[in-house]
Amino acid sequence: MRTIAVMNQKGGVGKTTTSVNLSAALAARGKRVELIDLDPQAHASLHLGLTFEKEFPSVYDVLVCDDSLESVRKQISENLWLVPAHLDLAAADFELASVFGRETILADKIKNDSLDFDYIIIDCPPSLGVLTLNALTAVEEVVIPLQPHFLALHGLSKLLETIELVAKRLNPKLHVSGVALCLFDARTTLALDVKADVQNFFAQHDNRPEAWKNVKVFDVNIRRNIRLAEAPSYGQSIFDYDPKSNGAEDYLKLAQEILDME
């Protein structure tokens, strides 16, 4: 089983879009996939059709109330399951502040889960609090979605420092497996320059920490695509909403690059 956290402390970089559509693409390739929405905004859950018109059990109950993953998990489609988030999750940082071992609650729940999956994908919040620490202690891999703009490298270096620290203190198996360029417009010089800068950044660090020693800057660029932006409002992945779009094509290619890492 491969466990992957999709994270970036900056919002608006395609993190949830990548979490949802990468999960759906892997499921379409015949892999059993569990997507865990760990973001209090619950955008991954909304993206897959859940609404907040009525209460439902969520990952909040897993972390705070000691419920099992099985009790809150929902099957979305063939090979794809969702552990949804709820707006209540915003209070989890406060409610878990005094709980011993709060950073490893999710890891323990995954270890004791009743179902086996080929992939567990976690959509992390755009912050570095208790929820993100739970994700980083529960997984072995991190995929970083990155928007090709001027400050991308600055934010990337800070994120890598955080992952390195967690790997040293809490989870020695943790490593960054890849960086995905999202919202990419190949017609702009900036996008091409940023991708080259990211590739050079990793190539020039000979004495890289183990946590990001073998990072792959994925070959596929997730192109800026209006169909990707529209799909969440219909509660569907890009493969249900428009399987012939550029967005669907790009996420299938990303899934294949991740599969090839096996």
Side-chain angles (χ1 to χ4, degrees), residues 99-117:
V99 176
F100 178 76
R102 58 189 177 275
E103 300 91 352
T104 61
I105 295 172
L106 184 60
D108 293 338
K109 294 293 184 179
I110 290 173
K111 190 182 300 181
N112 296 320
D113 195 11
S114 57
L115 279 185
D116 292 325
F117 295 96

Side-chain angles (χ1 to χ4, degrees), residues 4 19 22 63 68-69 75 87 107 114 146 151 161 173 184 204 215 239:
I4 301 173
S19 299
L22 174 59
L63 297 174
S68 66
L69 288 168
Q75 185 163 7
L87 301 178
S114 57
L146 204 65
L151 296 176
E161 288 175 12
K173 293 183 179 181
F184 197 90
Q204 291 170 4
V215 178
F239 303 103

Side-chain angles (χ1 to χ4, degrees), residues 146-165:
L146 204 65
Q147 186 177 0
H149 60 61
F150 179 70
L151 296 176
L153 275 179
H154 176 75
L156 177 62
S157 61
K158 294 295 183 184
L159 185 55
L160 292 173
E161 288 175 12
T162 299
I163 293 168
E164 180 186 354
L165 189 62

Side-chain angles (χ1 to χ4, degrees), residues 44-62:
S45 303
L46 290 167
H47 197 320
L48 290 174
L50 272 71
T51 65
F52 302 114
E53 295 172 358
K54 58 182 179 180
E55 291 291 320
F56 56 83
S58 72
V59 73
Y60 169 86
D61 300 288
V62 173

Side-chain angles (χ1 to χ4, degrees), residues 237-250:
S237 76
I238 191 61
F239 303 103
D240 293 318
Y241 180 64
D242 189 349
K244 295 183 179 180
S245 65
N246 288 340
E249 179 184 342
D250 293 345

Side-chain angles (χ1 to χ4, degrees), residues 136-147:
L136 293 180
T137 55
V139 303
E140 294 187 6
E141 302 178 48
V142 177
V143 167
I144 301 174
L146 204 65
Q147 186 177 0

Side-chain angles (χ1 to χ4, degrees), residues 62-105:
V62 173
L63 297 174
V64 176
C65 304
D66 201 29
D67 287 5
S68 66
L69 288 168
E70 181 181 20
S71 67
V72 306
R73 183 166 47 226
K74 300 177 183 294
Q75 185 163 7
I76 301 299
S77 60
E78 184 179 7
N79 294 327
L80 179 60
W81 287 259
L82 171 69
V83 175
H86 192 275
L87 301 178
D88 292 344
L89 193 58
D93 269 8
F94 174 78
E95 295 188 44
L96 294 173
S98 60
V99 176
F100 178 76
R102 58 189 177 275
E103 300 91 352
T104 61
I105 295 172

